[in-house]
């Protein structure tokens, strides 16, 4: 079938993207679902920094590629071997398909699935297949993280989908596939925040704000929000931050340590930059934990004085996919949302058409939005 999709052919084009147009919206061919695969009509797809890092070249991926990994939609058809979905089901896409049988899946850590990581790196579905192609040459196009959600339809592995209730607004459902899964998961699973803890959130994009909401839902006594944007700091107060600090000053870490009893119990880094990593580590108290989910460029390193790491008994850990089991955690987070404890609908800043997608990434790059959603494929 022919569909409209946003195709990235060349990374590293100069901003503004409204002018350079790295994403070309055009007709492409989409094959129907093979064994274990599902055809989904995309209803909403979020613009994320993980997409932006492919566009600007900071995270190399095989090109040409149909971008988009945070999406929700309605099942149109299922291939053979799909055990749990049927036409008409509402689903959230997950950006790491888990095979269910590798050592990490068996250990309850599907975010680290080895076949899933290999497929994502190759720009393929979990089976290794590519269902996208150029209509004129029939040359294959690559899938983005097993989803390729900036399109009218997507063929995905059933392991990339989580079924949700049909009465859940699919605009909100899409947020659970990345922003909520990563941010709230980093707070609840990665950092394991408990009632009464002190927490710092470094980087207040969509994922960072979701982490802030997760920390609040967990009962954190004090939530310190840190960002380079005064506007985002004001919004963080509305989301539940008790203290805000503007990043970039030489004394920011010292000011936070002075304000919060020598440092926070947990610092969550969601900005994906070297300076944010260093700041998050520096504001963790003795015996505290730094969790990073920010995905900086591969060349980024974090210098840590070994004697300080040992003598202060700090813990540094990564959190990918929010350290989540999506089939367990997406329904859990949705229940918290429905109870009003996790108001993630507030992350939605703007709705776009597919034709406006380059302008949308300009807004994201400039920090003007938390989450913009493509909700019309025109």
């Amino acid at each position: 079938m022919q569909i409209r999709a946003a195709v990235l052919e060349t990374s590293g084009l100069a901003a503004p993207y409204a002018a350079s147009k790295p994403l070309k919206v055009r007709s492409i061919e989409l094959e129907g679902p093979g064994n274990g695969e599902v055809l989904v009509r995309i209803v909403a797809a979020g613009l994320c920094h993980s997409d932006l890092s492919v566009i600007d070249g900071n995270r190399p991926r095989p090109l040409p590629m149909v971008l988009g990994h945070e999406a929700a939609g309605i099942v149109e058809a299922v291939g053979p071997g799909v055990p749990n979905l049927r036409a008409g089901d509402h689903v959230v896409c997950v950006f790491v398909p888990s095979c269910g049988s590798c050592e990490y899946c068996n250990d309850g850590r599907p975010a680290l699935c080895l076949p899933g990581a290999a497929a994502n790196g190759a720009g393929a579905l979990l089976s290794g297949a590519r269902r996208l192609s150029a209509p004129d040459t029939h040359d294959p196009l690559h899938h983005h993280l097993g989803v390729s959600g900036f399109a009218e339809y997507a063929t995905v592995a059933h392991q990339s989908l989580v079924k949700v209730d049909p009465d859940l607004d699919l605009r909100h459902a899409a947020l659970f596939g990345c922003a909520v899964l990563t941010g709230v998961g980093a707070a609840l699973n990665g950092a394991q925040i408990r009632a009464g803890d002190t927490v710092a959130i470094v980087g207040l994009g969509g994922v960072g704000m979701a982490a802030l909401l997760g920390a609040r839902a967990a009962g954190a006594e004090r939530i310190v929000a840190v960002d380079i944007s005064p506007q985002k700091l004001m919004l963080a107060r509305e989301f539940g931050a008790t203290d805000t600090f503007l990043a970039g000053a030489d004394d920011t870490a010292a000011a936070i340590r002075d304000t919060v009893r020598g440092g926070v119990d947990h610092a969550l880094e969601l900005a994906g930059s070297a300076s944010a990593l260093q700041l998050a580590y520096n504001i963790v108290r003795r015996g505290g934990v730094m969790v990073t989910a920010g995905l900086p460029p591969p060349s980024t390193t974090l210098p840590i004085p070994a004697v300080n790491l040992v003598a202060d008994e700090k813990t540094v850990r990564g959190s990918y996919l929010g350290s989540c089991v999506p089939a367990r955690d997406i329904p859990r987070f949705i229940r918290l949302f429905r109870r009003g404890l996790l108001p993630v609908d507030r992350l939605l800043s703007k709705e776009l058409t597919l034709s406006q997608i380059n302008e949308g990434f300009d807004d994201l790059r400039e920090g003007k939005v938390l989450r913009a959603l493509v909700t019309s494929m025109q």
Side-chain angles (χ1 to χ4, degrees):
M1 62 187 295
Q2 280 210 343
I3 64 169
R4 278 169 55 84
V7 182
L8 179 69
E9 298 176 346
T10 304
S11 62
L13 294 182
Y17 300 132
S20 61
K21 296 191 182 304
L23 290 169
K24 312 295 185 187
V25 178
R26 57 188 178 90
S27 292
I28 63 170
E29 290 288 338
L30 174 67
E31 291 182 37
N35 186 59
E37 295 171 357
V38 179
L39 177 66
V40 178
R41 177 170 64 85
I42 302 298
V43 174
L47 279 62
C48 175
H49 275 276
S50 293
D51 303 305
L52 185 59
S53 67
V54 180
I55 293 171
D56 65 20
N58 278 323
R59 189 157 297 278
R61 295 285 180 184
L63 301 178
M65 172 177 278
V66 177
L67 285 192
H69 66 283
E70 179 186 83
I74 301 172
V75 173
E76 290 284 313
V78 298
V82 175
N84 56 350
L85 294 170
R86 61 183 181 181
D89 285 343
H90 289 211
V91 290
V92 172
C93 299
V94 177
F95 63 88
V96 179
S98 52
C99 71
S101 59
C102 73
E103 60 183 289
Y104 293 104
C105 288
N106 286 334
D107 196 34
R109 305 180 73 185
L112 303 181
C113 174
L114 292 172
N120 281 357
L125 300 183
L126 187 60
S127 66
R130 292 173 179 80
R131 305 298 183 194
L132 301 165
S133 61
D136 45 356
T137 63
H138 304 292
D139 291 336
L141 304 175
H142 295 91
H143 297 263
H144 186 215
L145 301 179
V147 178
S148 291
F150 296 147
E152 292 178 296
Y153 294 87
T155 295
V156 300
H158 76 87
Q159 297 95 329
S160 293
L161 300 171
V162 173
K163 183 179 174 180
V164 297
D165 291 337
D167 62 341
L168 178 66
D169 189 328
L170 286 171
R171 296 174 306 158
H172 301 154
L175 302 173
F176 286 86
C178 179
V180 177
L181 200 64
T182 301
V184 176
L188 301 187
N189 297 331
Q192 299 181 359
I193 296 167
R194 298 173 298 178
D197 284 348
T198 56
V199 180
I201 310 294
V202 182
L204 299 174
V207 175
M209 287 293 193
L212 194 160
L213 292 174
R216 191 181 73 171
E221 176 185 350
R222 201 159 188 177
I223 302 175
V224 177
V226 188
D227 200 88
I228 59 174
S229 166
Q231 291 75 25
K232 287 185 176 178
L233 294 178
M234 291 175 60
L235 190 58
R237 286 276 187 181
E238 297 178 15
F239 277 40
T242 57
D243 304 87
T244 56
F245 290 85
L246 192 65
D250 292 338
D251 60 348
T252 299
I256 294 172
R257 289 194 301 268
D258 288 344
T259 301
V260 192
R261 304 192 306 271
V264 296
D265 299 315
H266 308 276
L268 279 63
E269 186 278 317
L270 292 314
S273 72
S275 58
L277 279 166
Q278 193 67 63
L279 176 63
Y281 181 79
N282 289 342
I283 61 178
V284 171
R285 66 167 177 81
R286 299 189 74 191
V289 179
M290 184 191 88
V291 174
T292 174
L295 286 177
S299 59
T300 301
T301 59
L302 173 62
I304 298 175
V307 66
N308 173 262
L309 182 66
V310 174
D312 287 347
E313 289 196 359
K314 292 186 179 183
T315 298
V316 177
R317 66 167 298 180
S319 177
Y320 191 49
L321 199 74
S323 306
C324 286
V325 179
R328 175 198 69 193
D329 288 324
I330 287 178
R332 179 164 70 113
F333 296 162
I334 289 173
R335 289 193 295 270
L336 291 173
F337 168 61
R338 289 187 182 279
R339 293 174 58 194
L341 300 175
L342 204 61
V344 297
D345 54 319
R346 299 185 63 187
L347 301 176
L348 178 53
S349 304
K350 191 174 187 179
E351 295 185 42
L352 307 168
T353 67
L354 189 61
S355 298
Q356 297 171 315
I357 195 165
N358 287 299
E359 292 86 347
F361 276 110
D362 281 328
D363 287 342
L364 182 65
R365 181 180 57 84
E366 295 167 9
K368 294 179 178 179
V369 294
L370 296 179
R371 264 304 187 264
L373 286 181
V374 174
T375 53
S376 169
M377 298 304 164
Q378 300 305 312

